[in-house]
Amino acid sequence: MAITDINEYAHLTDADVEALGAELDALRREVEADRGERDVRYLHRTILAHRALEVVGRLALLGSHKRSLWLLGTTALSLSKIIENMELGHNVMHGQWDWMNDPEVHSTTYEWDMVCAAPHWKHSHNFIHHKYTNVVGMDHDVGYKILRVTRDEEWEPRRLFQPLFNMMLAASFEWGIALHDLELKEVIKGDKPKEVAIPQIKVFLQKAAKQVGKDYILFPLLSGPNFRRTLSANLTANLVRNLWAYVVIFCGHFPDGAEKFTVESLENETPGQWYLRQMLGTANFKAGPAMAFFSGNLCYQIEHHLYPDLPSNRYAEIAERIKDLCDKYDLPYTTGSLMVQYLQTLRTINKLALPDRFLIATSDDAPETASERRFASMPNAGGLKTAIAELRARRRNRKRR
């Protein structure tokens, strides 16, 4: 059901994939050699924007008995938390700024402003997710262990509640991420040794206590008689940050065209095939400069997965080169508006809540699940992008008849 032979699916030969990998390696070296002052200025301005918005937000909330100041404080604090989470925390901990040798923005020392402990996130995200991107059964971010987003996962009655689980995950996204690497279900079943699990749980509890104490006790107390209003502002800011992070991440991994892969696809995987898996397993959404900034430049999810440790401010220019490579090798470059990408994602989540007998498309050629067998009836259709276009044209013609 998912892709096993990535070369066959992409309509590329071994030599093609090797050549693609070589071009992507060369692009990496080019960007690495060009890192310098303009990147440092971008990072420093980002840090300044985050801190300025937090100061404005905290000061405004001291007078939060006035509705206008509550709104100002909540908005500024929400934006500050989004910047810290998306453009700083996520990207710093990917090692994008390690080349500066600045401990303030180094992946080994940074701790972000959310309940998830940095070491846990770096293991579940940097290592597992980015190494095994969209490999069913290995990448825990495929559905975050609570959502069915591909038909490769067997339907179970609990999936009927998937739309509700999705809303709960969106609202509490930082907590879902925090619990992700703990694998509490495996601990309860005895599949994860307690000597490994207990230290991790302690680290999580310490981090969560620190965050809860800061956001819901310390800062509300500092606002004196406005305690409850500041508390509600902090809750709202965290909710806004959670919802935005959820939308950005889901639009990069679950819209149509973000393919899934079998464990067998990893056998003897070459560097070029790893690159290709990242290109086929992720999706972008269209964004202007402001939205790109507040998304941590993860509107360029394809570029991020190709080069997770290159500075995010370079993704826009890298994207133009990746589009050219996609045209050269006749590969799709999956993108669309934020609304379209999210609606496709939402459709998949709600659709796969139902048993397979209620689904129409085949398990090898559905919007959310495809395999190399989708092209069995058209073996000489050219490259992947051309083949997909021809399949869609055939469907349109059948509907007209």
Side-chain angles (χ1 to χ4, degrees):
M1 292 163 69
I3 297 166
T4 297
D5 189 328
I6 194 168
N7 289 26
E8 180 181 346
Y9 182 82
H11 293 62
L12 296 176
T13 65
D14 290 344
D16 291 332
V17 176
E18 185 178 352
L20 173 63
E23 295 200 60
L24 290 168
D25 280 339
L27 178 53
R28 163 184 280 281
R29 291 192 296 270
E30 181 181 328
V31 176
E32 286 177 334
D34 190 53
R35 291 178 301 194
E37 185 58 33
R38 72 174 170 122
D39 304 294
V40 174
R41 283 198 305 271
Y42 175 84
L43 177 62
H44 288 167
R45 288 170 181 169
T46 299
I47 294 172
L48 179 62
H50 154 59
R51 290 176 177 172
L53 283 166
E54 181 167 17
V55 169
V56 169
R58 297 298 183 191
L59 290 176
L61 290 174
L62 293 176
S64 56
H65 58 283
K66 295 183 178 180
R67 184 172 180 79
S68 59
L69 288 177
W70 186 92
L71 288 171
L72 173 62
T74 304
T75 301
L77 193 57
S78 298
L79 294 175
S80 173
K81 284 179 174 287
I82 285 172
I83 293 171
E84 194 281 331
N85 184 251
M86 307 299 292
E87 189 59 275
L88 291 176
H90 174 274
N91 293 336
V92 168
M93 289 192 292
H94 261 299
Q96 293 183 9
W97 305 100
D98 285 2
W99 57 277
M100 291 172 54
N101 293 316
D102 182 347
E104 183 182 3
V105 288
H106 200 279
S107 62
T108 60
T109 55
Y110 195 91
E111 184 61 75
W112 53 0
D113 183 33
M114 64 182 293
V115 295
C116 179
H120 298 166
W121 181 83
K122 284 186 285 188
H123 177 256
S124 65
H125 185 83
N126 290 8
F127 175 67
I128 295 179
H129 171 59
H130 276 267
K131 182 176 181 179
Y132 303 115
T133 303
N134 279 24
V135 176
V136 180
M138 298 193 73
D139 180 4
H140 300 163
D141 284 18
V142 177
Y144 289 87
K145 296 186 177 182
I146 62 172
L147 301 176
R148 184 185 185 224
V149 294
T150 173
R151 301 190 198 194
D152 296 274
E153 296 176 341
E154 187 177 351
W155 183 85
E156 301 172 277
R158 67 185 177 92
R159 301 298 187 186
L160 292 171
F161 300 98
Q162 185 157 287
L164 175 61
F165 294 157
N166 181 49
M167 290 189 291
M168 293 170 60
L169 177 62
S172 60
F173 199 56
E174 66 171 319
W175 292 92
I177 297 299
L179 296 170
H180 199 36
D181 198 49
L182 299 185
E183 300 176 308
L184 295 179
K185 190 174 181 179
E186 284 71 18
V187 176
I188 294 171
K189 292 193 301 184
D191 294 338
K192 185 173 182 176
K194 290 185 178 179
E195 56 267 26
V196 174
I198 291 176
Q200 287 184 325
I201 293 171
K202 287 181 178 179
V203 170
F204 159 70
L205 292 175
Q206 290 169 355
K207 182 66 190 300
K210 179 180 178 181
Q211 288 298 125
V212 170
K214 176 178 73 71
D215 279 344
Y216 306 132
I217 299 176
L218 176 61
F219 279 112
L221 282 174
L222 290 175
S223 64
N226 294 314
F227 177 92
R228 287 191 297 175
R229 295 183 182 89
T230 300
L231 176 62
S232 68
N234 288 351
L235 283 166
T236 302
N238 281 331
L239 175 62
V240 170
R241 187 267 320 278
N242 288 347
L243 292 174
W244 178 241
Y246 153 85
V247 168
V248 169
I249 299 303
F250 272 49
C251 285
H253 294 89
F254 305 131
D256 298 357
E259 307 298 356
K260 317 299 183 299
F261 306 88
T262 66
V263 174
E264 289 75 21
S265 69
L266 296 177
E267 293 180 9
N268 302 313
E269 184 180 61
T270 66
Q273 289 173 329
W274 181 89
Y275 275 132
L276 185 57
R277 179 159 53 84
Q278 307 310 311
M279 296 171 74
L280 298 180
T282 51
N284 290 1
F285 62 84
K286 298 174 183 176
M291 186 182 288
F293 176 70
F294 284 107
S295 74
N297 282 290
L298 293 179
C299 54
Y300 301 106
Q301 191 70 232
I302 296 170
E303 290 70 26
H304 171 63
H305 266 262
L306 289 171
Y307 308 115
D309 57 348
L310 290 184
S312 61
N313 60 301
R314 296 300 189 101
Y315 288 157
E317 60 193 60
I318 291 173
E320 297 305 314
R321 304 279 291 276
I322 300 303
K323 291 176 188 175
D324 291 341
L325 286 174
C326 285
D327 288 339
K328 179 177 180 179
Y329 290 91
D330 202 7
L331 295 170
Y333 185 82
T334 306
T335 189
S337 70
L338 180 67
M339 181 63 72
V340 167
Q341 299 298 74
Y342 183 66
L343 288 177
Q344 289 179 352
T345 298
L346 195 61
R347 181 201 60 204
T348 291
I349 291 170
N350 292 336
K351 179 174 70 173
L352 292 185
L354 300 173
D356 288 351
R357 66 178 179 274
F358 292 105
L359 305 180
I360 298 174
T362 70
S363 59
D364 292 309
D365 187 17
E368 76 287 345
T369 306
S371 80
E372 55 270 29
R373 291 183 290 276
R374 74 186 298 193
F375 305 111
S377 63
M378 41 188 298
N380 301 311
L384 177 57
K385 184 167 66 172
T386 299
I388 291 173
E390 185 173 327
L391 272 178
R392 289 172 178 168
R394 289 186 180 187
R395 291 195 193 102
R396 287 193 296 269
N397 290 335
R398 282 198 294 267
K399 287 180 180 178
R400 292 193 187 103
R401 295 170 188 166

